[in-house]
Structure formats: C-alpha cells, structure tokens
C-alpha cells in the first residue's frame, strides 16, 4: 500500500479552464480580422524553369506570366488545393526581387500574403501598435486588390503582405 500512496500523491493535478478564463477574453477586439493564407511568394532567378518545375514535374495548374511594373515584378501563380504559390521574377533594375536575388542567388521564399477584411482599418491599428508599413497607401496587387507590406523586422523576420479580401 506504500507504493499506491506515493503514486497517488505524486500524480499531476489536471485543471480545466473555466468559462471565466476563456481564450477569447485575451484576444483584443479589432476593427479588422485576419483571413486565410492567400499565397506564399517565392523569388526565382529563372521564371521559365520554375514554371516548368511546378507544371511539368509536379503537375500543378500554373498561370500565365503577368508583369506588374508598379511592383517591379513578373508574377506567376501556382494553384494549390487550399492556397497558391506566387513565383516572382525581377522586372526592371529597381525591382525589389532583383536585390533579393543578389543576396539569394538560387531564389527562395520572399513573403507570405494573408487576407484581411478591412485593409484601411488594419493599417490604422498596426501603425498605432508601431508595426511599420512599407508604403503610405495600399497599392493594387497581382489579384487586382489593395495590398500593403509589413516590415520584416516587426514580423519576426518575415515580410508579410496583407491583401484586402
């Protein structure tokens, strides 16, 4: 009986959360909400090779190349079941992708894009919370919707794009 007593006294206590301690009380109410992951963007030094990998080797549905001069990129979207990949290639010498590829010769993940239900409200609140936004106003992105980018140093090293849903 000594072993049973020791086991009973050393057993961990399990506590349940009461309704007064619910997680939702810890989440600040926002005027905007994050939505789904829209895409993961990958900078590529050779767009045709990258398109071929996803289309011919992996069998994905791949869009045509679209030039976005305002952003300094060519884009191609790879359709996945629940999101997309965006292949980015430099357009022009001042392209942010050109400088990224100078540092990352073989390419790599460039940014993630998350949808928001109200981009203007998101901008206002993020500025109040000292999150730097890389433009004064949203630009029209590859999907024809307003987008902003958040500074990677304020987002744990990740360049985050927010897109109006």
């Amino acid at each position: 009986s000594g072993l049973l007593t020791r086991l009973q006294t050393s057993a961990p206590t399990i506590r349940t959360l009461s309704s007064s301690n619910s997680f939702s009380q810890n989440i600040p109410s926002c005027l905007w909400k994050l939505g789904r992951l829209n895409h993961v963007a990958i900078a590529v030094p050779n767009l045709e090779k990258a398109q071929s990998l996803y289309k011919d080797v992996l069998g994905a549905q791949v869009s045509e190349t679209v030039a976005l001069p305002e952003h300094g990129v060519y884009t191609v979207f790879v359709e996945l079941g629940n999101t997309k990949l965006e292949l980015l290639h430099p357009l022009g010498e001042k392209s942010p992708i050109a400088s990224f590829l100078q540092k990352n010769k073989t390419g790599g993940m460039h940014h993630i894009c998350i949808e928001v239900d109200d981009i203007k409200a998101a901008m206002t609140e993020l500025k109040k919370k000292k999150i730097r936004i890389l433009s004064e106003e949203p630009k029209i992105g590859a999907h024809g919707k307003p987008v902003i980018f958040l500074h990677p140093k304020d987002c744990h090293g990740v360049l985050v794009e927010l897109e109006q849903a």
Side-chain angles (χ1 to χ4, degrees):
S1 82
L3 177 61
L4 182 58
T5 305
R6 282 197 312 261
L7 285 174
Q8 288 173 333
T9 58
S10 66
T13 306
I14 298 173
R15 296 185 183 163
T16 58
L17 291 173
S18 68
S19 59
S20 64
N21 258 352
S22 73
F23 290 114
S24 63
Q25 288 181 346
N26 297 330
I27 299 172
S29 62
C30 290
L31 299 175
W32 60 281
K33 284 196 306 199
L34 279 180
R36 71 180 192 93
L37 175 67
N38 184 283
H39 64 267
V40 174
I42 302 168
V44 298
N46 185 320
L47 194 53
E48 292 76 25
K49 250 185 173 172
Q51 282 175 294
S52 178
L53 169 69
Y54 288 100
K55 183 177 181 179
D56 302 329
V57 176
L58 298 176
Q61 182 181 346
V62 177
S63 75
E64 295 297 316
T65 302
V66 174
L68 295 176
E70 184 179 350
H71 294 275
V73 296
Y74 290 103
T75 65
V76 170
F77 282 96
V78 178
E79 293 292 329
L80 304 176
N82 57 352
T83 191
K84 296 179 278 303
L85 298 178
E86 179 183 32
L87 307 178
L88 297 172
H89 187 73
L91 170 62
E93 292 176 14
K94 293 182 180 176
S95 170
I97 299 305
S99 60
F100 180 90
L101 288 172
Q102 284 173 357
K103 297 175 198 147
N104 305 277
K105 300 289 185 211
T106 59
M109 193 187 97
H110 185 262
H111 68 268
I112 63 169
C113 176
I114 303 171
E115 295 175 359
V116 295
D117 64 349
D118 186 338
I119 200 160
K120 289 287 197 178
M123 290 178 73
T124 300
E125 195 163 318
L126 289 167
K127 284 178 183 177
K128 285 180 190 172
K129 294 178 178 178
K130 306 290 187 234
I131 302 295
R132 289 172 283 179
I133 299 170
L134 300 182
S135 60
E136 288 300 314
E137 289 296 321
K139 294 181 180 178
I140 299 302
H143 298 113
K145 297 177 179 181
V147 300
I148 58 170
F149 286 88
L150 308 181
H151 199 294
K153 288 184 179 175
D154 298 339
C155 300
H156 307 284
V158 177
L159 180 60
V160 176
E161 178 183 20
L162 298 179
E163 178 180 282
Q164 178 73 46

